[in-house]
Amino acid sequence: MDTIFALASAPGRAGVSIVRISGPLALMAAENFGIKKAIPRHALLRTLRDADGEVLDSALVLYFEGPESFTGEDVIELQLHGSPAIITSVLRTLGDMSGLRMAEAGEFTRRALENGKMDLSQVEGLADLIDSETEAQRRQAQRVFAGKLGEIVQIWRRDLIRAAALLEATIDFADEDVPVDVRPEVNQLLSDVQTSLKSQAIGAEVAERVRNGFEVAIIGAPNAGKSTLLNYLAGREAAITSSIAGTTRDVIEVRMDLRGLPVTLLDTAGLRDTDDVVEAIGVERGKARAEQADLRIYLLAPGETPLFPMKADDLVLRAKVDLYDDLDGVSGVSGVTGHGVDSLIDRLATVFTERSSLVATATRERHRLAILRSLEYLTNARNMLRDSAYGEDVIAEELRSAIRSLDSLVGIVDVETLLGEIFASFCIGK
């Protein structure tokens, strides 16, 4: 296998930059820099020199001996002064060394997967951890990266393998007197796994929202103060505000961290009938996005009724309360004075925190679909168990199919088509 290298820290000027080298020639590369007798897991301060003996930098050198390293191979990490000129010189020197090449995107992590240092779900967890922007995203990604999904899959596999073994035992001893009916025990094992799988499938939908962010659509009539409220929540002029009705023509998105939860606010076109073709398109787009959003905030003028079907947890608030003295007991908000905004944020945080409590260890749509496939096979198997017309060999095959679906979660089988897509999201040095 080639020895690869890359900048493992962010490009540009920094206090410290890290260059990572992995593969069978990693130690040789270090020696070519003038680093002698690297000691595993000991930090050494050394002067790096190029092939002509010119000093490149004074660096902290770390050696991780394979297989006890991130990739499972010999790994050298050079902690350099974060000068773009130094980084360029070091990478150029590495590129001139025989047998070394620049790493591809995600190649270090892919080698960790291929060398058994991580399973596929952990790779996805690492990608999510790198991309996490909020505390909820960090916690969720950390659980997957720590291998929690793999641990649960092993429990499911253990129970299903046990169930299949019981069934296959009756096949092996079909000509002998087997005194115990294994079907009740098999049915109980399958029931327990089904319950756990269903919980994970439900939680995976919520986890996907935590990964990508909850969407909140601000809707209402033209000039209801939607854009003003969006700007107040965002803390900047994200949307154009005007007294002219119909200013907002397209959906404006603002992503924010709402008390540790990722939330995307959507400012939509005012709901009304209009002869303006462009505005009409904007209204329809706004309705479509509002329908798909996780929650809607309807800003209501006095005497008005909502013109959009509202759902559980949706909020109906009196708009522009800074202009009114009598609110008639209706909760109101103002994007000008900030009146009611704290209460609004509290409500949003409460709703999304409650939903996030359902988060499962499975966090991606791929995970959910694999779990649903496995559930389908288990449902078939349990139905067959109750019907004596089906033999144990047929039922056991359904269980093997269920196990294969679960194996795809952690990359034991059938994952080659996924790898390119997954690793494409990684940076070069990871």
Side-chain angles (χ1 to χ4, degrees):
M1 185 174 287
D2 294 340
T3 297
I4 57 175
F5 65 89
L7 178 66
S9 53
R13 185 177 290 104
V16 176
S17 293
I18 300 174
V19 170
R20 177 180 289 164
I21 311 165
S22 179
L25 301 181
L27 272 177
M28 182 210 74
E31 291 174 357
N32 288 348
F33 279 118
I35 304 166
K36 305 297 183 182
K37 298 181 180 179
I39 304 172
R41 298 186 179 276
H42 281 69
L44 304 174
L45 183 62
R46 293 291 184 267
T47 298
L48 306 187
R49 300 178 182 274
D50 63 15
D52 298 325
E54 183 178 346
V55 174
L56 297 175
D57 192 22
S58 180
L60 202 62
V61 180
L62 295 171
Y63 169 40
F64 301 94
E65 188 176 23
E68 301 302 320
S69 69
F70 174 72
T71 62
E73 307 169 331
D74 283 348
V75 172
I76 292 287
E77 287 193 356
L78 306 175
Q79 297 188 9
L80 311 163
H81 292 97
S83 156
I86 292 174
I87 295 167
T88 299
S89 297
V90 170
L91 293 179
R92 183 174 60 245
T93 302
L94 285 168
D96 290 338
M97 295 182 188
S98 177
L100 274 68
R101 65 169 174 83
M102 180 73 78
E104 299 175 359
E107 190 169 4
F108 289 95
T109 307
R110 182 160 184 160
R111 291 192 177 194
L113 173 68
E114 293 170 343
N115 292 328
K117 306 300 292 184
M118 306 169 69
D119 64 39
L120 188 60
S121 66
Q122 287 178 288
V123 169
E124 292 170 318
L126 177 57
D128 291 342
L129 190 61
I130 293 171
D131 291 337
S132 62
E133 297 175 341
T134 69
E135 182 63 15
Q137 290 173 326
R138 184 197 64 79
R139 288 197 303 266
Q140 177 173 288
Q142 188 63 56
R143 284 197 303 271
V144 181
F145 180 48
K148 297 300 182 183
L149 181 57
E151 293 174 7
I152 295 175
V153 170
Q154 289 304 316
I155 294 173
W156 293 334
R157 293 185 80 255
R158 180 199 64 199
D159 290 347
L160 294 183
I161 290 171
R162 164 71 177 166
L166 288 171
L167 292 170
E168 288 167 353
T170 64
I171 300 171
D172 293 338
F173 297 97
D175 297 331
E176 302 181 21
D177 182 19
V178 180
V180 178
D181 181 7
V182 301
R183 292 199 176 202
E185 182 179 351
V186 170
N187 185 62
Q188 186 59 53
L189 285 168
L190 301 192
S191 176
D192 292 343
V193 174
Q194 267 189 317
T195 300
S196 181
L197 285 172
K198 288 176 181 177
S199 175
Q200 287 290 325
I202 294 171
E205 293 187 57
V206 181
E208 185 76 13
R209 302 310 295 161
V210 173
R211 285 183 62 245
N212 297 325
F214 294 99
E215 288 194 347
V216 176
I218 305 174
I219 57 179
N223 257 348
K226 300 182 296 297
S227 297
T228 304
L229 178 60
L230 176 82
N231 291 341
Y232 190 94
L233 290 168
R236 60 185 176 88
E237 294 295 315
I240 297 173
T241 58
S242 169
S243 59
I244 302 173
T247 301
T248 301
R249 299 296 184 95
D250 207 347
V251 178
I252 298 174
E253 302 183 14
V254 173
R255 191 173 177 86
M256 62 183 294
D257 183 333
L258 185 68
R259 298 186 180 169
L261 292 167
V263 174
T264 299
L265 300 173
L266 307 176
D267 180 20
T268 61
L271 301 177
R272 68 170 178 177
D273 294 327
T274 177
D275 294 328
D276 187 313
V277 176
V278 176
E279 184 183 356
I281 294 173
V283 171
E284 291 306 312
R285 286 184 179 181
K287 287 180 179 179
R289 286 298 298 274
E291 178 66 29
Q292 297 169 0
D294 299 286
L295 187 145
R296 285 142 291 279
I297 301 172
Y298 199 110
L299 298 185
L300 205 64
E304 184 187 10
T305 57
L307 301 176
F308 193 89
M310 305 299 280
K311 302 179 182 180
D313 293 330
D314 287 351
L315 304 176
V316 178
L317 302 173
R318 177 70 62 80
K320 298 183 176 181
V321 295
D322 54 292
L323 303 180
Y324 303 98
D325 295 326
D326 184 9
L327 298 180
D328 299 325
V330 178
S331 297
V333 67
S334 169
V336 174
T337 65
H339 178 91
V341 170
D342 286 344
S343 297
L344 170 60
I345 291 176
D346 287 340
R347 178 58 183 159
L348 294 176
T350 298
V351 170
F352 292 138
T353 298
E354 289 175 354
R355 295 187 189 182
S356 298
S357 66
L358 300 175
V359 164
T361 307
T363 60
R364 292 182 174 231
E365 180 67 6
R366 181 184 76 81
H367 302 165
R368 190 179 72 87
L369 293 177
I371 289 171
L372 291 178
R373 284 196 302 271
S374 186
L375 274 170
E376 184 178 352
Y377 289 122
L378 293 186
T379 299
N380 293 342
R382 292 192 71 192
N383 290 336
M384 292 176 181
L385 281 171
R386 291 189 286 268
D387 189 341
S388 59
Y390 290 97
E392 281 74 8
D393 56 339
V394 178
I395 303 172
E397 181 56 35
E398 290 295 308
L399 297 188
R400 283 191 285 271
S401 295
I403 293 170
R404 284 194 291 271
S405 293
L406 297 179
D407 285 346
S408 69
L409 285 171
V410 292
I412 297 176
V413 295
D414 193 28
V415 298
E416 191 60 35
T417 57
L418 297 169
L419 295 183
E421 178 181 348
I422 291 172
F423 289 114
S425 67
F426 280 73
C427 57
I428 295 296
K430 202 64 182 174

